[in-house]
Amino acid sequence: MAGARKKKKKRRGSPLGRALRTLYATVVVLSAIIVTTYALFQILVPAPTVEQPPAPTASASENPTDNPDTPDVDESTASPSQQTLERKEQFYTFLLAASDQVSGNSDTIMVASYDVPNQKVALVSIPRDTLVNGKYGRHRDYKINSAYSYGVIEELRAVVADMLGIPIDFYVTVDLKAFVEIVDAVGGVDFYVPVDMNYDADDQNLHIHYDKGMHYGLTGQQVLEIARCRKNSDGPGTYPENTYDVYAGSGTNREQTQRELMVAIARKLVSWNSIPKITEFAEIVGENVKTNMSASDLAFFATRAIYVDIDSNVTTTIFPGNGEVSYKGWNWCWQYYPEESLEIINTYLNPYTTDITMDMTNMFQVQ
């Protein structure tokens, strides 16, 4: 038809442009699904159930406040059995233990706490030579590292809870080779070695040599060597005559090095480059880690712990004491300083809303 306007043909975008728009739309949809699923997951996964404090004993309940001849119980000065203990909301305690590859005793023992609402984590080392009372089937007092002989984690858990006066909600035991495999999986870690380390044991094919200072890209085996090193060799001879404490006079100790190594590994684990390794990590953990946490418990902690600021909200320390105590033929036993240790318990590990008192603890003291 003459004079009629031709219909304008719609211009199609280039194939690359269409592909990019499709990709963008797909990413937006997937992101929305992931965010929604994650939010629902956090809401639906319940907080772990933990041991509740015991009810007050009759000594408190049998003091009626309406009897003028019977004095009221002052909660601030009452004995632990008279106090009404109450747990903090979502405050959890953990026992971490790694076994010695030779003796089967616990080579590393730590108590940890996780304050979920405040996103704070504390790691407190228990020296392996800590003296404890001969309880739980033992006929004599002993060093705490032997409580884990042959993997009896429940005995160690009971001993630690009794010693510190707090419930231990969860335990995690680790085969030391797990550290090796995890560190290798993330491509190594950077770490400042606090002292010169020079130790040789030909019978174990063990040779540890690290200069004090920053080391980059340490392998799993190197991390394990640094974590375990306690002695330096000093010329020819046999152990222990030719060795001395690697940390002597340094102002630090092996437990501090172990805690700082754990923080370094944790920092690498939560880095972006570690995300694709999640399946490999799960296999390593499944093969080398034992815990009483359920899958739901693990999911709860995993979805919360990613928000912890490792640099500012993770505290590491050790129970202070004297490591040169001799007792019944044992040398180099660790005996706690009660007052200082109680302060650490209340500052970092106490799951209750009121302070732990000295008579709630059982810190062994040589008479």
Side-chain angles (χ1 to χ4, degrees):
M1 182 176 178
R5 296 177 62 185
K6 292 184 179 180
K7 188 175 181 181
K8 189 174 181 181
K9 196 171 184 179
K10 188 175 181 180
R11 184 179 177 184
R12 300 183 65 190
S14 68
L16 177 59
R18 292 197 301 274
L20 289 175
R21 286 194 294 274
T22 301
L23 177 61
Y24 176 77
T26 302
V27 169
V28 170
V29 172
L30 286 176
S31 298
I33 292 174
I34 291 172
V35 170
T36 302
T37 302
Y38 181 75
L40 288 173
F41 189 72
Q42 283 203 309
I43 294 172
L44 296 176
V45 174
T49 301
V50 295
E51 176 184 346
Q52 294 303 312
T57 62
S59 60
S61 60
E62 292 178 359
N63 283 332
T65 56
D66 57 348
N67 185 344
D69 297 324
T70 304
D72 294 338
V73 175
D74 183 354
E75 285 283 334
S76 64
T77 60
S79 67
S81 61
Q82 294 174 307
Q83 293 181 27
T84 302
L85 295 174
E86 181 181 352
R87 287 198 63 142
K88 301 171 185 174
E89 182 181 0
Q90 294 187 15
F91 187 104
Y92 302 96
T93 57
F94 306 81
L95 173 65
L96 313 177
S99 61
D100 187 291
Q101 292 177 312
V102 178
S103 67
N105 294 342
S106 49
D107 187 66
T108 301
I109 308 172
M110 297 183 192
V111 180
S113 67
Y114 181 21
D115 181 350
V116 178
N118 294 308
Q119 286 296 284
K120 291 184 177 181
V121 174
L123 288 172
V124 184
S125 292
I126 295 179
R128 66 199 302 271
D129 294 320
T130 294
L131 282 170
V132 294
N133 293 112
K135 301 173 69 173
Y136 309 102
R138 301 297 183 100
H139 300 292
R140 58 177 295 183
D141 305 322
Y142 58 99
K143 292 184 178 182
I144 198 169
N145 65 325
S146 66
Y148 185 53
S149 296
Y150 310 108
V152 186
I153 187 60
E154 286 298 346
E155 178 176 338
L156 180 59
R157 181 185 181 190
V159 168
V160 171
D162 177 67
M163 180 174 66
L164 305 182
I166 62 173
I168 301 297
D169 300 323
F170 302 105
Y171 65 79
V172 179
T173 67
V174 183
D175 189 314
L176 287 178
K177 71 176 183 179
F179 288 112
V180 175
E181 294 181 5
I182 289 175
V183 172
D184 288 341
V186 299
V189 298
D190 302 335
F191 187 71
Y192 184 88
V193 178
V195 291
D196 292 330
M197 295 183 175
N198 294 287
Y199 179 78
D200 292 285
D202 292 336
D203 58 335
Q204 301 179 44
N205 193 27
L206 181 61
H207 305 281
I208 301 175
H209 297 282
Y210 300 97
D211 293 334
K212 178 180 178 180
M214 193 69 192
H215 292 255
Y216 298 93
L218 291 168
T219 67
Q221 180 59 37
Q222 290 173 322
V223 167
L224 181 58
E225 291 171 354
I226 293 170
R228 297 191 64 203
C229 187
R230 291 186 296 150
K231 301 287 185 179
N232 271 350
S233 302
D234 186 17
T238 57
Y239 178 85
E241 288 79 10
N242 71 322
T243 61
Y244 62 94
D245 182 2
V246 67
Y247 292 98
S250 67
T252 185
N253 52 54
R254 190 177 75 134
E255 286 81 7
Q256 180 177 341
T257 296
Q258 291 174 340
R259 294 192 305 271
E260 291 175 353
L261 276 169
M262 288 188 65
V263 172
I265 295 171
R267 184 177 288 109
K268 192 66 178 284
L269 281 171
V270 299
S271 68
W272 174 253
N273 290 336
S274 297
I275 300 300
K277 296 280 188 178
I278 190 65
T279 301
E280 185 175 351
F281 294 152
E283 292 176 356
I284 294 171
V285 170
E287 294 174 359
N288 300 286
V289 175
K290 294 181 180 179
T291 180
N292 62 335
M293 284 184 277
S294 67
S296 176
D297 296 337
L298 290 168
F300 175 86
F301 291 126
T303 55
R304 272 66 176 181
I306 59 175
Y307 299 110
V308 174
D309 187 331
I310 294 178
D311 293 320
S312 61
N313 280 355
V314 175
T315 302
T316 68
T317 187
I318 187 173
F319 285 110
N322 180 3
E324 299 181 356
V325 173
S326 296
Y327 180 70
K328 293 186 177 180
W330 286 321
N331 296 320
W332 308 107
C333 300
W334 190 276
Q335 178 175 280
Y336 288 12
Y337 297 144
E339 296 294 338
E340 293 89 332
S341 296
L342 183 62
E343 182 177 354
I344 286 178
I345 294 171
N346 281 315
T347 303
Y348 300 115
L349 302 175
N350 183 9
Y352 299 128
T353 55
T354 53
D355 280 353
I356 300 293
T357 57
M358 190 64 73
D359 51 0
M360 295 170 69
T361 68
N362 186 16
M363 290 179 273
F364 187 89
Q365 298 292 298
V366 174
Q367 300 301 320

